[in-house]
Amino acid sequence: MSRFILFWLVVFMTLPVAFATEQPKQMESPVEYDTEMTDQFFEVDKWSSPWWIIERDDGSFEDTTGQITRREDIPRLRHTAECRTEHQIPHMINFSEARQINKDTIEILIHDESASTYDDLTVIVKNGRFSSHYKTVSPVAAANAGLIWTTTKQRLVLNKKHYEKGDVIRGRIEFECVEEMKEARNGRKHIHTIRIEGRFKPPLQ
């Protein structure tokens, strides 16, 4: 069996399974504004390789998919978020995207690019108010009837009220939700809190 096939076999066997459980209506809060977001994160870009590239201390690398052999061919990913969470394991969420839904609504997605963690926080901004919608996957999927996330705390600060396509959205987020997991076999519920806090700077698509 080739290393490429073996790698993806292990990935598919160990990846958690996502659920399409209907989620509750989430709370809305007013957006705050700060035109002076000029700290180093917003001014200096950081880059990294995709999660499937292993960087070694001696400067060499390994492509676990077996496709890339030259360093110059490795994709470089720009970090557009710097958000901390302790969900699953303590880690940083380094990526975000933003798109214009309509003239009044912007969707901001803060997400992982990793094989070991999966956090997906969608923030909907409309007419000076916003709501936060979280989802993830469970490592014990076979035992679960579904996952429900209810936002319990949120704070969003943006650098201005109106954006045009191509503008970089500078923002800070504080988010907390309760995750409820129900076991299919006995109906037992497991509840814990997930927190995400940090900054983001995606260009508006």
Side-chain angles (χ1 to χ4, degrees):
M1 182 181 295
S2 72
R3 288 173 59 192
F4 175 77
I5 296 175
L6 178 61
F7 166 77
W8 285 110
L9 179 61
V10 171
V11 168
F12 286 123
M13 289 177 65
T14 57
L15 272 179
V17 176
F19 290 88
T21 306
E22 184 176 354
Q23 300 299 311
K25 180 177 175 60
Q26 305 296 352
M27 63 188 294
E28 290 189 359
S29 304
V31 178
E32 300 175 37
Y33 299 96
D34 177 5
T35 60
E36 301 299 325
M37 291 194 196
T38 56
D39 61 50
Q40 188 175 25
F41 167 75
F42 296 111
E43 304 299 333
V44 179
D45 284 338
K46 291 184 178 180
W47 302 76
S48 62
S49 302
W51 62 265
W52 37 267
I53 298 291
I54 299 174
E55 299 277 0
R56 298 195 177 96
D57 292 338
D58 63 4
S60 63
F61 75 92
E62 178 183 359
D63 174 9
T64 55
T65 69
Q67 298 184 43
I68 295 177
T69 58
R70 301 188 309 165
R71 176 167 290 280
E72 55 265 35
D73 295 331
I74 298 176
R76 302 297 290 169
L77 305 179
R78 177 174 174 263
H79 291 191
T80 52
E82 189 179 72
C83 295
R84 178 175 297 279
T85 183
E86 294 189 357
H87 176 241
Q88 297 177 344
I89 58 173
H91 65 281
M92 299 299 294
I93 303 171
N94 293 320
F95 302 98
S96 64
E97 301 166 14
R99 66 188 184 104
Q100 188 93 42
I101 303 300
N102 55 48
K103 66 182 181 66
D104 299 319
T105 309
I106 290 174
E107 178 186 81
I108 301 168
L109 173 62
I110 301 169
H111 62 93
D112 286 321
E113 286 284 347
S114 170
S116 58
T117 57
Y118 180 88
D119 294 278
D120 190 326
L121 177 61
T122 299
V123 179
I124 305 295
V125 182
K126 182 177 181 179
N127 294 329
R129 299 184 65 80
F130 77 101
S131 58
S132 305
H133 309 263
Y134 179 83
K135 65 180 179 181
T136 186
V137 291
S138 170
V140 287
N144 302 338
L147 293 169
I148 295 175
W149 302 280
T150 304
T151 301
T152 55
K153 177 183 177 182
Q154 59 181 8
R155 180 177 182 233
L156 178 67
V157 184
L158 298 177
N159 65 318
K160 59 182 183 178
K161 293 184 177 181
H162 302 288
Y163 297 94
E164 301 292 335
K165 287 192 175 183
D167 288 351
V168 173
I169 299 177
R170 296 186 176 193
R172 297 191 296 267
I173 184 79
E174 296 176 21
F175 169 81
E176 182 178 292
C177 74
V178 171
E179 179 184 80
E180 179 181 311
M181 181 178 71
K182 183 178 180 182
E183 294 186 24
R185 290 172 297 180
N186 54 27
R188 183 180 302 166
K189 292 183 180 180
H190 303 270
I191 296 176
H192 74 279
T193 299
I194 297 172
R195 297 180 180 88
I196 296 175
E197 182 175 348
R199 302 164 291 183
F200 53 87
K201 54 176 182 181
L204 181 60
Q205 305 296 320

